[in-house]
Amino acid sequence: MNTRTALPEGVISLPGHEAHARGVLDANAWAYFAGGAADEHTLNANPAAWQKLQLHPRILRPVAGGHTRVSLLGRSLAHPILLAPVAYQRMAHPDGEIGTALAASAQQAGLVLSTQASTPLEAVADAIRNDPDRGPLWFQLYLQHDRGFNLELIHRAEAAGYEALVLTVDAPCNGARDRERQAGFRLPPGISAVNLSRLVPRPDPARHPHQSALFDGLLQQAPTWDDIAWLQASTRLPLILKGVLHPDDAREAARLQVGGLIVSNHGGRTLDTLPPTAEVLPEIVEALGGSLPVLVDGGIRRGTDVLKAMALGGAAVLIGRPYIYGLANAGALGVAHVIRLLRDELEIAMALSGCPTLGDIPADLVRRARN
């Protein structure tokens, strides 16, 4: 495992971090962090969809005194960039989730910690608790088969100071990840989902030979809309649903009065051939009519992508793989560098588009490329 803490020479962009990390991570870790489901059509379509959108700027607009601030869930954020939940970060660098948290805090970025973090949720919260300028700290939740354990995990997150729960709703089972299977992926010794260590094994119901291990086994306890109401009654934290792609699901979430939505296709890691999030985002925003904040992840690699997401009605964006590549390259410093690069590029894109603030984005800033 790489233990470098100095920025690699010549890396000046998020794609540059990715290219460098390819030579740093071993084949096992690269397959896990970089791979997607099946033929990886969605994995590749996500960044391509942002690139196909064109910016249509205005000129000679006054932009002095501009800023990147946004308001989200009652908080003022210095910028609209958050770090998406990614599991097992100590597999990328010994700094792991602590390094990521320190970098996010230093760069005022929001952080969503994974249920499957390789560092206890309390330790991550403690590392940045006393920074008054940090961004929001949220906890991502995969509902487990044991409701009592779910309650314990939620209460731990509340007690540690997490400010929202992010429920992943698009992955009741893993996708068919060919790259991981070809690499024979396995967690290295000493790395595990430590926050799930007290979870009792899932009961394996007796099945007839003709029954499915998936449909008649694992999915017997998969979450449904009924669990959303139970979860809301079980926590004082706002609940954000991550993995929404269909307008009807967005409307149902609004009916249940959740705190927000994240338009996400799980970075192309679950079901392949899903639409890219850049194409889905405006459909979800239109369906909700401003009733809920809508965030988006998937393929964001440039500040222009962030600006496009905001122009399409997004409240904020999340990045996943890019900061993991930064972590692999230089630990906490690498993560901070990724966030800073993206924020700097966002400011440049705003200035060159005639938008001093994100609230000044005109409706026609983004258009589809003409074939």
Side-chain angles (χ1 to χ4, degrees):
M1 182 188 298
N2 177 48
T3 58
R4 285 179 56 86
T5 56
L7 290 174
E9 186 176 352
V11 172
I12 57 170
S13 66
L14 274 61
H17 268 286
E18 178 176 359
H20 190 273
R22 180 66 184 89
V24 170
L25 293 167
D26 62 29
N28 188 66
W30 181 258
Y32 181 79
F33 290 124
D39 297 311
E40 300 185 343
H41 292 299
T42 299
L43 173 68
N44 296 317
N46 273 340
W50 294 112
Q51 294 162 17
K52 289 177 182 176
L53 294 174
Q54 296 179 338
L55 291 171
H56 201 193
R58 299 296 302 273
I59 60 172
L60 300 177
R61 295 284 183 96
V63 294
H67 61 78
T68 59
R69 291 191 297 274
V70 293
S71 179
L72 184 62
L73 296 186
R75 281 196 56 170
S76 178
L77 280 61
H79 56 80
I81 302 165
L82 291 85
L83 304 188
V86 179
Y88 308 123
Q89 292 183 27
R90 289 181 52 241
M91 191 163 61
H93 193 280
D95 286 358
E97 290 84 359
I98 296 291
T100 293
L102 292 173
S105 183
Q107 294 297 323
Q108 298 178 288
L111 172 63
V112 188
L113 184 74
S114 172
T115 288
Q116 296 176 315
S118 51
T119 306
L121 64 91
E122 292 87 356
V124 175
D126 287 345
I128 60 174
R129 184 184 310 279
N130 295 324
D131 183 354
D133 297 322
R134 66 171 175 82
L137 178 61
W138 299 347
F139 184 71
Q140 178 265 343
L141 184 65
Y142 284 114
L143 280 179
Q144 307 299 317
H145 59 273
D146 184 333
R147 272 201 170 181
F149 179 84
N150 289 326
L151 283 174
E152 176 187 337
L153 195 59
I154 292 165
H155 294 158
R156 284 176 60 192
E158 290 176 342
Y162 289 80
E163 301 160 47
L165 294 179
V166 177
L167 179 67
T168 295
V169 294
D170 64 346
C173 64
N174 285 335
R177 299 176 189 164
D178 288 2
R179 257 208 260 189
E180 287 184 29
R181 292 187 291 185
Q182 289 170 348
F185 172 74
R186 64 189 62 190
L187 288 174
I191 294 177
S192 65
V194 294
N195 294 307
L196 301 179
S197 62
R198 295 199 294 268
L199 178 64
V200 298
R202 181 188 305 274
D204 188 13
R207 294 188 300 273
H208 299 297
H210 65 277
Q211 288 183 303
S212 164
L214 181 60
F215 289 107
D216 300 303
L218 175 66
L219 296 182
Q220 289 293 306
Q221 293 154 324
T224 68
W225 286 109
D226 291 338
D227 292 289
I228 303 303
W230 171 81
L231 190 53
Q232 288 175 302
S234 301
T235 182
R236 56 178 173 76
L237 300 179
L239 180 63
I240 300 165
L241 303 190
K242 178 180 181 292
V244 178
L245 293 174
H246 199 289
D248 287 346
D249 288 332
R251 283 186 279 264
E252 178 64 12
R255 187 186 69 82
L256 292 173
Q257 298 182 320
V258 302
L261 302 180
I262 300 176
V263 173
S264 174
N265 53 36
H266 218 98
R269 290 173 61 81
T270 52
L271 181 62
D272 201 16
T273 71
L274 291 173
T277 52
E279 295 182 5
V280 176
L281 174 61
E283 299 174 12
I284 301 298
V285 170
E286 181 180 8
L288 292 175
S291 59
L292 289 177
V294 180
L295 294 77
V296 64
D297 68 14
I300 290 171
R301 300 293 184 268
R302 288 288 184 178
T304 47
D305 300 338
V306 182
L307 181 58
K308 292 170 186 177
M310 304 299 287
L312 294 174
V317 305
L318 300 95
I319 58 171
R321 289 181 179 91
Y323 81 82
I324 293 299
Y325 299 143
L327 180 67
N329 289 333
L333 182 61
V335 178
H337 190 233
V338 164
I339 301 168
R340 187 71 247 182
L341 286 170
L342 199 58
R343 183 179 178 183
D344 286 348
E345 289 185 4
L346 171 61
E347 291 187 357
I348 292 169
M350 291 169 61
L352 294 176
S353 297
C355 302
T357 74
L358 296 171
D360 292 317
I361 297 175
D364 60 353
L365 179 62
V366 170
R367 67 180 187 180
R368 301 279 172 184
R370 295 173 182 172
N371 295 327

